[in-house]
Structure formats: structure tokens, C-alpha cells
Amino acid sequence: MQVSKTLDYAVRSLTYMGNQPVGKHNMKEISQEQHIPLNYLAKIMRRLVKNGLVRSTLGPDGGYTLRKLPNEINLRDVYEAIEGEIRMVDCMDKDTLCVLYETCPQLPVWDRIQLSIIKILEDTTLEDMLKERKTVTLNRVN
Amino acid sequence: MQVSKTLDYAVRSLTYMGNQPVGKHNMKEISQEQHIPLNYLAKIMRRLVKNGLVRSTLGPDGGYTLRKLPNEINLRDVYEAIEGEIRMVDCMDKDTLCVLYETCPQLPVWDRIQLSIIKILEDTTLEDMLKERKTVTLNRVN
DNA sequence: GCATTGTGGAGCCATGAAGTCCATATTATA
DNA sequence: TATAATATGGACTTCATGGCTCCACAATGC
């Protein structure tokens, strides 16, 4: 029930890129600015590319660009690109459903939580995060 | 971001006991009824005892009893007894705060999700779960 | 052609979840 | 008082996975 570092790194990279949405950012830059191990970042970016969140270009002056505007990319997209489908519990174990499934008392609760998480993730875009951060920062400074 | 088997087992045991709140239930019984490995269950029950959710008695005819009524035990209690404090992200790494903490754009989102989870867990008692299960079951049958 | 970028995949390592086992303490009952 | 039945405490094992490294390769701009 915790956010993985991998997801953290992905969100960092994307919000970072969201600051200059049309700009191009290479791995070294992102890695240094966001304190993410370069080799690991490489792996993560591939998933973002594969899942259509980011476009990559090769060669010198290559790098990554957001495929959509920051207000068009929500956190659910990011989560699922990295972790796959959002699922609180796994009632299946190698083809067989949990023996208690039929009258499982806890399933509805995990479902409610899952829906709530999905809603929040869907409702939050990169732009939202960047705006909110600025607000928070200003509040702190003043 | 998934429910651990350990937590699942704990909830299973407690809801099971909630069916006869004043009754006494020994490990063998719970283990068999709820399909939980006996030795592992032993470990889990110790935590529930230690955290005051359950009372244990030794000797023949010993076993476990709920310390409160099913409508007085909520899922947050259970969660924290098993997993400790609920925390989505860990900004600390060995005494040092994440370098990006000050203006971290994602922290507010994980906070919102965390609060939402806590609320749902707090609002759900063992009794709620047992009642809801019956409703669900009835709906299915009819 | 060369340097610079990302790609793909194999592989490593530490950690923690899940589970086992056993020796011990407590207590009911015969 | 002996014995059997219960829980307790802790050491230990096993396995999967998150986090990370490395390297050979492909694309592309100069």
C-alpha cells in the first residue's frame, strides 16, 4: 500500500518535463535535475514511451517530449503505464478463485478504496500538480 | 499499492470471530475455517493480541476472543495493528529528507489519497463488513 | 564517419513477505 | 500431579520483486 520508487521517478520526470511542455529533455538532464539514477531512468522512460505518454527522438540532440499537454495527462495514465492495472486485491491465484470469494466480507471495502484512488488519480493532471506546488511554495514563503 | 496477504488473513480472522462476538475461537478452528496456514496465523494473532484487538487465553479450551464488539472495531485499527502507520510515501531515507521535498509536486496528491483511504477504513467496522456481505449474498441469490 | 542520443535485454542484489519450526509457558482436567 | 491442549516467542528459510547496473546495438545529426 505504498507508492513505489519507480512510480515516484516517473511522476518526477513527467512533472519536470511539464514545466516546458513543448521542450525536449534528454535523460542526462532529467536524471541530474530530478536525482534519478540514469540507468534506471532509461528503463522507466521506455515504459512511458511504450505507453504513449512521451515521444522519444534518437541521435544527438535527441531526448523526450510530452505527447500531450500537461492538462491532458492525468495520474491514472502514469500509474497504469508504470504499474499496470490498478488493483487492491488479487482474488485469483493461478487460475483458481479464492475459496471464500462468494461471501467475502472485505472485498467491497477494498473496492471502495480502489474506486476512490482511481477517482483522485484521474482527477489530477500534471498541470494540477505543477499549479498546486507553486501555491504551496508561495504559502510557505509568505 | 496492494493489500498484503497478512492483512487479508487478519481481516478474515476478525470477521470470522465477529460472527460470534462473545465466543471463543482457537487457532485450529480459525485456520481451517478461513484457509489460513496455521503457523502463520499464530504469528498474526500475536500482533492482534499485542495491539489490543483480541484477548487470548492459554491451556486446553483456550483461544481468542474479540476485545470489543464488532461495531467498535474498525479497519483502520486492524490495518495499523498489522502494517503499522498508514503512509503512502516515505520522504525520509535514513535520516535525510528527500532533496526535492520543499517543492515536491506529487506529495499533495498522495496525501489526498492517504486521507481518503484512512477515512474509508475508519468508517468501516467489522459489523459493517458482515452486514454488507449478507446483503451482497442475498442479492446474488435472489 | 563519428559522436551522441535512446533501445532492448540480461543479470545482480538486497529486502521483505510469506511461511515453517521448535522450545517454552500456561492451564484445564483426569 | 501428570498430561494434553492451548498460545507465545523467536529463529530460520524460501522466494519474488523492486531497484539498479551494464552492455551491445540502432538511429540520427553534424
Side-chain angles (χ1 to χ4, degrees), chain A residues 2-135:
Chain A
Q2 270 216 336
V3 175
S4 72
K5 268 192 175 180
T6 313
L7 179 55
D8 172 31
Y9 290 159
V11 177
R12 277 194 217 181
S13 307
L14 289 168
T15 47
Y16 173 73
M17 294 171 70
N19 283 319
Q20 289 131 31
V22 291
K24 194 185 297 172
H25 310 269
N26 65 38
M27 279 206 302
K28 265 183 206 151
E29 176 197 348
I30 300 176
S31 160
Q32 284 167 12
E33 293 295 319
Q34 294 297 305
H35 300 83
I36 303 169
L38 180 62
N39 291 313
Y40 196 45
L41 177 60
K43 221 172 179 177
I44 296 172
M45 292 311 287
R46 277 179 251 163
R47 295 181 133 214
L48 298 181
V49 170
K50 196 154 242 169
N51 286 84
L53 295 178
V54 148
R55 177 185 311 112
S56 72
T57 50
L58 287 186
D61 198 44
Y64 299 98
T65 319
L66 292 181
R67 267 209 132 99
K68 304 191 233 166
L69 293 175
N71 65 11
E72 295 170 328
I73 300 178
N74 69 47
L75 268 189
R76 180 183 189 172
D77 300 331
V78 183
Y79 185 104
E80 292 185 338
I82 298 298
E83 312 272 19
E85 189 193 352
I86 300 175
R87 205 181 330 140
M88 283 292 99
V89 284
D90 200 357
C91 302
M92 294 286 288
D93 184 52
K94 302 180 192 153
D95 312 333
T96 53
L97 200 58
C98 168
V99 275
L100 306 170
Y101 182 80
E102 292 297 332
T103 57
C104 176
Q106 39 179 318
L107 212 40
V109 184
W110 305 131
D111 267 354
R112 271 201 292 283
I113 289 179
Q114 181 171 312
L115 287 174
S116 158
I117 292 176
I118 289 176
K119 175 154 181 34
I120 295 175
L121 291 179
E122 264 179 2
D123 284 354
T124 309
T125 67
L126 295 186
E127 188 177 81
D128 294 332
M129 301 175 79
L130 291 169
K131 274 185 183 160
E132 181 165 25
R133 176 195 53 177
K134 278 174 196 147
T135 311

Side-chain angles (χ1 to χ4, degrees), chain B residues 35 65 70 106 135:
Chain B
H35 300 83
T65 320
Q106 39 178 320
T135 311

